[in-house]
Amino acid sequence: MRLDFALLVFSFAFFRYNKPEMAKQTFFITTPIYYVNDAPHLGHAYTTIAADALARFWRARGADVFFLTGTDEHGAKVARSAHERSVEPQVFVDQVAGQYERAWATLGITYDRFIRTTEPEHITYVQAQFLRLKKDNYLYEGDYGGLYCVGCEEYKNEAELVDGKCAIHQTAVEKVQERIWFFKLSVFQKQIISAIEKDELKILPLKRKNEALQFIKAGLKDIPFTRTKVNWGIPLPWDKSQTVYVWVDALFNYLSAHEAGWPADVQLLGKDILRFHAVIWPALLLALGKALPKKLFVHGYFTVDGKKMSKTTGNTVDPAALSKKWGNDALRYFLLREFPLGSDGDFSEEKLAQRYNADLANGLGNLLSRVVAIAKQTNLPTKPTIKVSCAGADQAIEQLNFSGALDELWQLVTVANQAIEKEKLWELKTTDGERKTHLKQALRSLCNQLNTIATSLAPLMPTTSAQIIEQLKTGKAAPLFPRR
Ligand code: MSP
């Protein structure tokens, strides 16, 4: 008994004094890497801004965040764009990758690494993995005959075509007949189904998980992993006349950029590229004996007048121009608030303007300026007395439910504005002792509310959040969102 007790005391002391330093929580988040066939548009900015919001959220929680994005620079589609402009592919990809980097700088994107698939380190990495796949018998040579859409950089079957054309790009598909290397995708069918069903590879929203499962259960065939007539690609190490299929080249970026941090906690992607990420990607990782990503979060399309925003449709919107006109935070607010991340939504500048005036200028901006103005008039402090964030909003952000988080925060904005109006706070005479006490209390509660809103808002609207906190600290007003 006594010995037990002594041991207990000892072990307690041991753990107390020798407790290893708690390792900092890491958080690895990725976006797809974007094709450099043309300048970035709002659809690309959408994914990147959502990833940025999540990265900022985890950083604020003290996690060691690695936020990866970049550009997908090889393949027929990019080569064709360079050719159309009579520029060498390398010169062309340098230009467009630069446009992406500048756009993300303008939008205040806080990535940790911008990978380009033309980087020598990435090329060497992919070649080494191909040698491994070959050595482990996951690749075999064979004849492939089929259809290919350069716009999608994807093999198609007849059933997917509309009037013989790619349903997405409405362009003719190419007939491909070549001797290439196949990847044994079919052998991973059961393993992938099990990983997805058990949520070891979690796919969100549920609708996308089911879509992926349905597709995989219909049967996986071995797929071409190399191409013979695409020079602008990574040469196969054992046969320089072939290049790596651009999608495989691209998927490898998630490893080549930050293998030490793998597996990713969240991989964000649009619904257009679900199959690559839910089928080929896990199979590739299983073949190489690597962990599966923890979560794929699949978001919807941004449409313009109901059509997917894309270069081919000619309805692209420039995110940098929008940011210049409306400000980064207003743009972030609109993109993250207008509809849930998993759904589709239509973009129009009119809707952005409406939200700007109603929610930002008349809503949050008005609340802050009234509170600071009343405090100034009555000589009362604006400094918050309690510092808490909004738990509901934080939880929503953690689940990538940005629109839900903003809904929640704007309910607070509305209630606070209503309270000011109902009590006509600006009319309260401070000479009257009782009223002054009431005003003091009301103002304190409003400042605390604003501080709560600003704290939870930080990952979604970083500049606005900082401005609110600063104005509450100093009591000096500056309009947040001038009316347009
Ligand atoms: N290069 C591939 C991805 C390789 S990842 C290993 C690719 N590139 S892309 O430039 O076409 O960009 C695809 C991603 O951009 C989509 O998955 C989505 O995240 C985003 N979007 C592009 N157009 C979009 C909309 N119209 N709406 C929303 N997101 C869109 O596919």
Side-chain angles (χ1 to χ4, degrees), residues 32-35 41 43-44 46-47 72 247 250-251 253-254 269-270 272-273 277 299-302 308-309:
I33 50 169
Y34 307 106
Y35 287 127
H41 62 62
H44 308 124
Y46 181 54
T47 317
D72 186 353
W247 257 102
L251 287 166
N253 92 86
Y254 301 131
L269 49 129
D272 48 340
I273 55 176
H277 285 81
H299 67 72
Y301 283 161
F302 238 102
K308 186 192 171 201
M309 188 182 298

Side-chain angles (χ1 to χ4, degrees), residues 369-382 439 443 447 475:
S369 64
R370 279 160 128 185
V371 168
V372 178
I374 294 170
K376 199 172 172 197
Q377 266 172 33
T378 53
N379 234 345
L380 287 169
T382 47
L439 177 62
L443 204 60
C447 291

